[in-house]
Amino acid sequence: MSSKKNKAEHLKNDVAAANAGRGKPIIRIEHLTKSFEKRGFGKRKRRSGDAEQPDDAHIHAVQDVSLSLYKGDVMVIIGPSGSGKSTLLRSINMLETPTSGHIWFDNVDLTDKATKIDQYRQRMGMVFQHFNLFPHKTILQNLTLAPIKLQKRPEAEVRAEAMELLARVGLADRANAYPSQLSGGQKQRIAIVRSLAMHPDLILFDEPTSALDPEMVGEVLDLMKDLARSGMTMAVVTHEMGFAREVGNRIIFMESGRILAEGTPEQFYKNPDNPRLKEFLSKVL
Amino acid sequence: MQAFFEDLANDFYTNLIAADRWKLLLQGLGVTMEITILALILGLALGFLTAIVRSTHDKTGKLIILDAIARLYTTVIRGTPTMVQLLIVNFVIFASISVSKVLVAVICFGFNSGAYICEIVRSGIMSVDEGQFEAGRSLGFSYAGTMVHIILPQAFKNIVPALGNEFITLLKETSISGYIAIMELTKAGDIIRSRTFNAFFPLITVALVYLAIVILFQQLWKRLERRLRKNEQ
Ligand SMILES: Nc1ncnc2c1ncn2[C@@H]1O[C@H](COP(=O)(O)OP(=O)(O)OP(=O)(O)O)[C@@H](O)[C@H]1O
Ligand SMILES: [Mg+2]
């Protein structure tokens, strides 16, 4: 794609955004495609095949997806297993390297090889299904490690703020405990405030409650609702339809790597016009 | 019975006390420890370095040439007897360069140990959950920063027992240094044997000294392991 055409498209999108009264998008995804090579298929096919040609040596996890995320959005991504939700989400902070397409963050193309991705990741939090707390660090150190090492903020200030965050999730008394001493719900709340400690512009959630015992789902969702209300921009992959309905302002339905439907929760639940979406909702609701 | 004890006392005297023979053993022990510790330091440096190169290649596909070198290194070292390596280092590589024999041994055992430590460290890095890596990167740590702050500390904890083992193996393996005329513990015992024509006393003494060091070291190491583990529970 030529840069001129890029700019034109930029302009068009910006205009559209301004018309919608939402300002500039924080994240803009353009024609994102991500294919994985199937195991054991790789080399033989790569030599003979045209990379653009769909072939059975590749899994097309995300296919030509374009979307924008605006400040304050709580975008919920739903869809059946293997539909590419995680891949899409993980492409936003480049944990997956897109096969083609662009991801714009703050007018910087993250897919550009020259982009220093680390500095942009500091501004995008990520919360994982399996928490991924650092087991060799205390709870407090889990929160303070990145702000101190990466943002070079004064330790005392970072620590004080981390204690405030811990108090906010009711875990201040566990500051010096290790992650192995916490319950799943507590771990996930810590993982969320760990990303908050970096003062991110947005937070990505990949099935944050799927690994939790049912009785712990509520406490994590409550924290996420709290965050949403405070205006945090969020992209959330989840199977929690209640959350999607209550907190999400946009819902995206994915299947086979494509966005099949997009809309507000009302549009989604009142009259889902897409037959695949109808079928999916009938299964999960 | 009494005669037996008298003989024993006699042997003890001729083999260890007379001509200050115990000093020979003590000197030998000093050389053994010197070689072991210096070789271990070299081995740790080489092992960590090659392990990081190899894991970086596995994870990112970068460092192709360094990875090939590291792989060749570990394959050759682990595929040939230490004894042969020692002889080659001494009689081929340092054939025309005059350096101290101890240095030759340190280099040989250091490179030897490095290949095994590489595998140990690599398995340690692989044992750390991939999610840890992603958590580090998603916070904005670079590849190197994630390694240093998140992966290696956890990997290290996992491999402490194996590293202790490596020390013990190395300590015992240095006993072949006598083949290049180094007066370490085993050689010292053997020299006493050839002077007193008594095999039992000097060789058993040497064996007991090794055993004592190993047991003492294991105790210390266990304490370290326990301390590291406590840090997490
Ligand atoms: N690292 C990978 N290597 C190969 N294939 C992959 C990889 N990651 C994902 N895939 C494939 O890409 C497709 C989309 O996967 P993805 O994890 O994005 O789905 P998902 O919607 O998040 O599913 P789930 O609800 O099960 O988490 C799947 O077919 C999956 O098998
Ligand atoms: Mg997923």
Side-chain angles (χ1 to χ4, degrees):
Chain A
M1 191 183 289
S2 78
S3 78
K4 229 179 208 161
K5 198 169 154 202
N6 237 340
K7 260 185 201 144
E9 202 157 314
H10 237 185
L11 211 61
K12 202 176 74 195
N13 281 356
D14 286 351
V15 170
N19 287 344
R22 295 155 110 179
K24 268 184 162 180
I26 293 186
I27 295 283
R28 215 175 64 246
I29 299 173
E30 278 175 357
H31 303 295
L32 179 77
T33 293
K34 171 71 183 179
S35 334
F36 292 104
E37 234 161 64
K38 273 187 196 157
R39 254 170 252 273
F41 241 98
K43 284 173 188 153
R44 196 155 33 92
K45 276 275 176 177
R46 215 180 326 166
R47 233 174 272 137
S48 61
D50 176 358
E52 299 293 315
Q53 205 73 47
D55 59 59
D56 49 1
H58 291 91
I59 299 166
H60 301 282
V62 174
Q63 302 188 57
D64 194 28
V65 165
S66 298
L67 64 85
S68 295
L69 192 64
Y70 296 89
K71 193 166 163 38
D73 263 357
V74 177
M75 184 175 81
V76 179
I77 304 168
I78 60 173
S81 180
S83 56
K85 308 180 295 293
S86 295
T87 308
L88 173 63
L89 194 78
R90 291 158 54 84
S91 298
I92 295 178
N93 68 353
M94 296 289 288
L95 278 188
E96 302 288 357
T97 312
T99 309
S100 64
H102 298 272
I103 294 155
W104 298 86
F105 175 48
D106 215 15
N107 288 329
V108 176
D109 184 358
L110 299 183
T111 61
D112 187 341
K113 284 223 162 59
T115 301
K116 293 207 167 53
I117 186 67
D118 295 337
Q119 91 191 61
Y120 296 100
R121 283 191 182 134
Q122 290 182 28
R123 296 164 50 191
M124 294 189 245
M126 184 156 209
V127 175
F128 301 88
Q129 183 175 355
H130 295 287
F131 332 125
N132 300 352
L133 295 181
F134 305 133
H136 62 303
K137 303 266 181 207
T138 64
I139 298 306
L140 184 63
Q141 288 167 342
N142 264 275
L143 267 64
T144 58
L145 181 70
I148 290 172
K149 298 282 181 213
L150 298 174
Q151 296 177 327
K152 315 275 183 216
R153 284 153 58 196
E155 286 195 38
E157 176 200 306
V158 171
R159 221 171 286 132
E161 195 199 306
M163 286 309 297
E164 272 170 38
L165 285 168
L166 289 179
R168 178 170 167 190
V169 293
L171 290 170
D173 58 327
R174 311 311 307 275
N176 295 314
Y178 284 87
S180 59
Q181 297 167 304
L182 300 189
S183 74
Q186 290 173 330
K187 280 183 200 164
Q188 196 59 301
R189 276 142 64 202
I190 295 300
I192 293 172
V193 288
R194 176 175 69 180
S195 66
L196 281 182
M198 290 292 281
H199 301 165
D201 295 346
L202 71 153
I203 304 183
L204 312 168
F205 295 83
D206 193 359
E207 302 203 29
T209 57
S210 296
L212 296 177
D213 290 337
E215 73 268 22
M216 292 172 182
V217 170
E219 62 195 62
V220 171
L221 289 182
D222 284 345
L223 174 58
M224 289 169 63
K225 285 174 197 169
D226 195 41
L227 270 184
R229 265 182 230 114
S230 72
M232 178 56 75
T233 309
M234 298 158 65
V236 185
V237 173
T238 187
H239 294 297
E240 293 292 332
M241 292 302 153
F243 175 86
R245 187 172 214 161
E246 191 184 333
V247 191
N249 67 329
R250 299 165 62 192
I251 303 185
I252 281 172
F253 172 65
M254 286 187 77
E255 199 182 81
S256 314
R258 296 179 190 280
I259 296 179
L260 291 197
E262 179 180 359
T264 63
E266 295 81 60
Q267 290 166 347
F268 251 66
Y269 292 101
K270 297 259 165 62
N271 46 3
D273 43 10
N274 185 298
R276 305 290 300 143
L277 172 61
K278 245 184 225 168
E279 190 189 329
F280 177 75
L281 288 177
S282 73
K283 272 187 212 144
V284 295
L285 283 178
Chain B
M1 197 62 182
Q2 204 176 348
F4 173 76
F5 280 114
E6 258 167 36
D7 277 357
L8 209 62
N10 250 337
D11 282 352
F12 180 80
Y13 184 82
T14 37
N15 284 292
L16 295 178
I17 312 293
D20 277 349
R21 296 210 161 102
W22 60 274
K23 276 192 183 163
L24 197 66
L25 287 179
L26 203 62
Q27 277 167 12
L29 176 61
V31 174
T32 291
M33 293 311 290
E34 186 185 352
I35 295 174
T36 305
I37 289 169
L38 291 179
L40 192 69
I41 293 170
L42 178 60
L44 282 170
L46 281 170
F48 268 88
L49 217 68
T50 46
I52 289 170
V53 164
R54 295 218 46 204
S55 328
T56 301
H57 176 77
D58 288 348
K59 275 202 165 81
T60 66
K62 289 177 189 160
L63 306 179
I64 294 173
I65 294 171
L66 283 177
D67 178 68
I69 294 172
R71 243 177 337 171
L72 183 70
Y73 160 63
T74 53
T75 307
V76 169
I77 295 286
R78 298 195 310 152
T80 53
T82 316
M83 181 71 199
V84 176
Q85 290 164 19
L86 182 68
L87 295 176
I88 290 175
V89 171
N90 188 57
F91 295 114
V92 180
I93 297 175
F94 286 105
S96 53
I97 313 163
S98 106
V99 290
S100 95
K101 291 286 177 200
V102 170
L103 182 65
V104 170
V106 166
I107 289 173
C108 173
F109 289 114
F111 271 82
N112 179 279
S113 194
Y116 292 93
I117 292 177
C118 171
E119 293 306 313
I120 293 173
V121 175
R122 219 159 73 87
S123 74
I125 291 174
M126 283 192 293
S127 72
V128 177
D129 182 51
E130 181 63 21
Q132 291 294 307
F133 206 82
E134 294 187 344
R137 295 307 304 268
S138 76
L139 281 166
F141 281 102
S142 63
Y143 179 87
T146 306
M147 268 294 175
V148 169
H149 296 294
I150 295 156
I151 305 299
L152 286 178
Q154 294 182 58
F156 185 73
K157 227 174 255 191
N158 292 341
I159 61 174
V160 164
L163 286 179
N165 254 343
E166 182 55 28
F167 172 85
I168 293 170
T169 305
L170 188 58
L171 172 79
K172 293 183 295 184
E173 232 163 33
T174 58
S175 67
I176 60 172
S177 307
Y179 277 91
I180 59 166
I182 291 177
M183 263 299 243
E184 41 66 62
L185 182 58
T186 305
K187 185 76 177 175
D190 202 41
I191 284 177
I192 295 174
R193 180 188 61 79
S194 67
R195 300 242 173 95
T196 61
F197 303 107
N198 180 323
F200 179 83
F201 243 100
L203 295 183
I204 294 294
T205 307
V206 164
L208 287 176
V209 172
Y210 279 113
L211 186 63
I213 296 174
V214 168
I215 289 174
L216 187 74
F217 172 79
Q218 277 175 332
Q219 293 305 317
L220 288 174
W221 205 250
K222 252 188 219 139
R223 218 179 282 176
L224 175 76
E225 282 174 35
R226 231 175 290 137
R227 241 213 341 251
L228 284 174
R229 233 178 298 137
K230 205 166 53 194
N231 239 345
E232 202 162 289
Q233 301 314 315

